[in-house]
Amino acid sequence: MFESIQTAPPDPILGLTEAFKQDSNPDKINLSVGVYQDGNGKTPILATVKEAERRLLTEENSKSYMPIPGDPTYGRLVRELVFGKDHPILSGGRGATAHCPGGTGGLRVAGDYLHKLHPDAAIWLSDPTWANHPAVFTAAGVEVKTYAYRDPATNGLDFGAMLDSLGRIPAGDVALLHASCHNPTGIDPSVEQWSQIGEVLAERGVLPLVDFAYQGFADGIDQDAAGLRALCEKVDQLLVCSSFSKNFSLYRERTGALTLVGATAEQVGKVMSQVKVVIRANYSNPPAHGAAIVAVVLQDEALRADWEVEVAEMRDRINGMRRLFVDRLAAKGVERDFSSIIEQRGMFSFSGLDKDQVAALREKYAIYIVGSGRINVAGMTEANIERLCDAVASVL
Ligand code: LMR
């Protein structure tokens, strides 16, 4: 069976971390994978997560299977985080949540559901988007198409072109939107623009699928959900994929969710029954630990407040690094205008570095960034910024 098998290419993001680990250069810098690093270049476990785990160790009393959509309390907490506690979607019972293995797991369950129940639906992704989005939906059998997003001339949002291409999506297709901290560009629509997006999608009969992997990394937990909540005023059906990899730093615990919103409680119940069939045939039911941590933190008032402080610390450090990076490049006489990086939000920025410059950074300086020129700002520290800016100046 295996004689004819050829080696697959490395993953465009995770493959870089494998290469980084093997690099023997003591000054190497990893700005590839979207993982937060503190000022010392470490990815520590959050103190609130440690405390939740300490409690779980003594209080957890069974390792029996989870229900197919996971713990209902976790599902409610996810919906409260996404929509806000008093949102009509919650009081009207119009939302249902499945705990999935990571945000990627949520996306894949959504893809499997779409392929099975809406086989003619294509999914439209922003150009550019997270490198794994096309792979996830293609693997699920869903046709992938793209809509306009970034304006290369300004390194900002080309909202006119975006709205125009969303307005041409055929009814019955799906449009994937990034709730905040767009990956890879860091460029987000304003709340007013989200409203307009919602109007266009509602008018076209296009289902929004909102990928919410960075809640809290732009401006705050509720602030980052404002666009999505504005969208919900215009559409009555949508899918939301949440991830707690970044804001709880739970990367390896694979903690995410798929939330369904229907026009009525009855409708969403039917859709969830189908999603359960999809999950059962995939991983059966979710791994409990990460969701249990999230549930402990979010239900305890003091822990929740501490967690929001921890998220704010991560956010503030990244934003400080954005400014420092732009300032240091300017101080080194780099003429290209990088100032848009300060406006961008979340972990990533689109540097505009081309493939050859990305390759030169890696070969000459052991600096790893994604081939598209995406930089993980969270990998910058005061200790590596000078070397990084010298290297970027030299490849420019
Ligand atoms: C990223 O974009 O780097 C992260 O979302 C991690 C991943 O799985 O690619």
Side-chain angles (χ1 to χ4, degrees), residues 79 83 88-90 92-97 259-262 264-265 268-269 272:
R79 290 193 295 284
F83 303 110
I89 289 175
L90 274 71
R94 290 175 43 224
T97 303
T259 295
L260 321 166
V261 175
T264 63
V268 83
M272 179 50 90

Side-chain angles (χ1 to χ4, degrees), residues 122-371:
I123 191 158
W124 294 71
L125 310 175
S126 61
D127 179 18
T129 193
W130 179 43
N132 208 26
H133 276 151
V136 167
F137 290 100
T138 303
V142 181
E143 190 184 357
V144 168
K145 299 185 175 180
T146 55
Y147 61 85
Y149 195 78
R150 174 178 171 263
D151 179 357
T154 61
N155 202 16
L157 179 64
D158 191 343
F159 188 60
M162 179 189 186
L163 221 50
D164 185 58
S165 46
L166 291 179
R168 291 165 200 256
I169 299 181
D173 277 1
V174 183
L176 190 151
L177 304 157
H178 301 227
S180 68
C181 310
H182 183 270
N183 180 2
T185 66
I187 306 163
D188 293 330
S190 67
V191 176
E192 167 55 28
Q193 288 170 334
W194 271 96
S195 237
Q196 292 180 54
I197 291 167
E199 268 166 29
V200 169
L201 298 183
E203 196 184 296
R204 298 292 302 168
V206 172
L207 180 76
L209 189 167
V210 182
D211 189 351
F212 208 172
Y214 295 88
Q215 186 169 7
F217 272 70
D219 297 307
I221 300 298
D222 280 319
Q223 294 90 327
D224 290 9
L228 166 57
R229 292 175 194 172
L231 178 85
C232 291
E233 286 176 19
K234 306 291 177 188
V235 301
D236 62 4
Q237 300 172 26
L238 75 151
L239 307 176
V240 182
C241 294
S242 303
S243 166
F244 298 113
S245 294
K246 327 284 170 170
N247 55 13
F248 274 84
S249 212
L250 280 175
Y251 307 90
R252 64 176 61 171
E253 297 295 353
R254 312 309 301 131
T255 310
L258 169 63
T259 295
L260 321 166
V261 175
T264 63
E266 189 194 355
Q267 189 182 75
V268 83
K270 289 180 185 170
V271 178
M272 179 50 90
S273 73
Q274 295 289 351
V275 166
K276 282 167 67 177
V277 175
V278 163
I279 291 174
R280 175 67 172 141
N282 185 342
Y283 53 86
S284 187
N285 56 83
H289 188 64
I293 292 168
V294 170
V296 169
V297 173
L298 293 182
Q299 285 180 104
D300 182 300
E301 216 174 295
L303 274 184
R304 157 113 193 198
D306 289 349
W307 168 67
E308 291 212 24
V309 171
E310 293 189 291
V311 175
E313 278 168 10
M314 293 192 272
R315 177 173 69 236
D316 291 346
R317 199 192 85 72
I318 295 172
N319 288 336
M321 283 300 128
R322 287 183 180 281
R323 282 187 294 275
L324 194 59
F325 180 61
V326 173
D327 288 353
R328 295 311 301 145
L329 284 178
K332 289 180 192 304
V334 168
E335 280 174 15
R336 190 189 289 183
D337 181 11
F338 281 95
S339 59
S340 57
I341 289 183
I342 297 176
E343 306 307 319
Q344 295 164 2
R345 285 290 172 260
M347 282 192 183
F348 306 117
S349 272
F350 228 45
S351 64
L353 294 171
D354 65 27
K355 282 213 162 2
D356 292 340
Q357 292 163 336
V358 170
L361 281 177
R362 176 170 166 180
E363 280 152 26
K364 287 196 197 156
Y365 301 100
I367 294 173
Y368 290 70
I369 71 174
V370 175

Side-chain angles (χ1 to χ4, degrees), residues 11 13-14 32-35 104 130 132 183 214 246 348 374:
D11 182 80
I13 297 177
L14 299 183
S32 59
V33 68
V35 172
T104 310
W130 179 43
N132 208 26
N183 180 2
Y214 295 88
K246 327 284 170 170
F348 306 117
R374 185 194 82 170

Side-chain angles (χ1 to χ4, degrees), residues 3-44:
E3 283 87 352
S4 61
I5 300 300
Q6 304 296 314
T7 306
D11 182 80
I13 297 177
L14 299 183
L16 284 175
T17 296
E18 288 167 29
F20 175 81
K21 283 187 178 151
Q22 279 163 18
D23 195 320
S24 57
N25 187 328
D27 297 321
K28 61 188 176 178
I29 302 174
N30 188 3
L31 304 181
S32 59
V33 68
V35 172
Y36 177 79
Q37 294 169 40
D38 65 13
N40 300 314
K42 299 274 182 284
T43 307

Side-chain angles (χ1 to χ4, degrees), residues 44-55:
I45 301 174
L46 300 188
T48 48
V49 167
K50 270 283 183 206
E51 173 57 21
E53 287 188 307
R54 199 187 56 74
R55 292 185 194 177

